[in-house]
Amino acid sequence: QVQLVESGGGLVQPGSSLSLSCETSGFTVDGYAIAWFRQAPGKVRDGVSCISGKDGSTYVANSLKGRFTISREKNTVFLHISSLIPGDTGVYFCAAEPLRLLSIASMTRLAHFGSWGHGTQVTVSS
């Protein structure tokens, strides 16, 4: 059974950095895409970043490049966020889907993921 548990959220100051963790279990990450999404208050859930468990390739949404990076260590996927701004506030979700025909970029843009974590809240405020 695919399980995804996010952690690392909290209340942070603008300009600071934060790393979120997605601990995975119940499946072999090597054959999956693992992505991060976020949902700001009153808005739809948006794709942030994705990593291929097969070859380690990554995707970051254009508007977030330079501040958001994704990495993986064994069964945990990290989202590193720098220079946090209030607009980064939201619930951050981890998602997993087997790699098939779509690119990880397309999968993320289409939110083509079947397994989701419960999310971790990030609030950026002074």
Side-chain angles (χ1 to χ4, degrees):
Q1 181 181 358
V2 174
Q3 289 193 321
L4 307 165
V5 179
E6 303 95 333
S7 63
L11 174 63
V12 294
Q13 297 265 350
S16 63
S17 298
L18 188 68
S19 289
L20 305 179
S21 301
C22 173
E23 186 172 344
T24 72
S25 61
F27 66 104
T28 302
V29 175
D30 290 355
Y32 278 69
I34 310 296
W36 284 95
F37 290 79
R38 72 179 181 185
Q39 188 165 17
K43 295 191 176 181
V44 299
R45 192 177 299 183
D46 285 330
V48 172
S49 186
C50 186
I51 187 166
S52 166
K54 180 178 179 181
D55 59 14
S57 58
T58 63
Y59 162 81
V60 177
N62 284 338
S63 62
L64 303 177
K65 285 180 180 177
R67 295 196 303 116
F68 286 67
T69 57
I70 190 170
S71 64
R72 173 199 165 191
E73 183 173 338
K74 295 183 181 178
N75 293 333
T76 303
V77 174
F78 302 94
L79 182 69
H80 311 281
I81 314 171
S82 63
S83 302
L84 281 151
I85 60 175
D88 294 324
T89 294
V91 180
Y92 285 72
F93 297 90
C94 180
E97 179 68 16
L99 289 162
R100 293 193 179 95
L101 298 179
L102 290 176
S103 68
I104 59 172
S106 293
M107 292 173 72
T108 307
R109 294 188 191 112
L110 296 170
H112 187 71
F113 288 83
S115 299
W116 295 81
H118 293 294
T120 185
Q121 174 72 45
V122 173
T123 303
V124 184
S125 175
S126 55

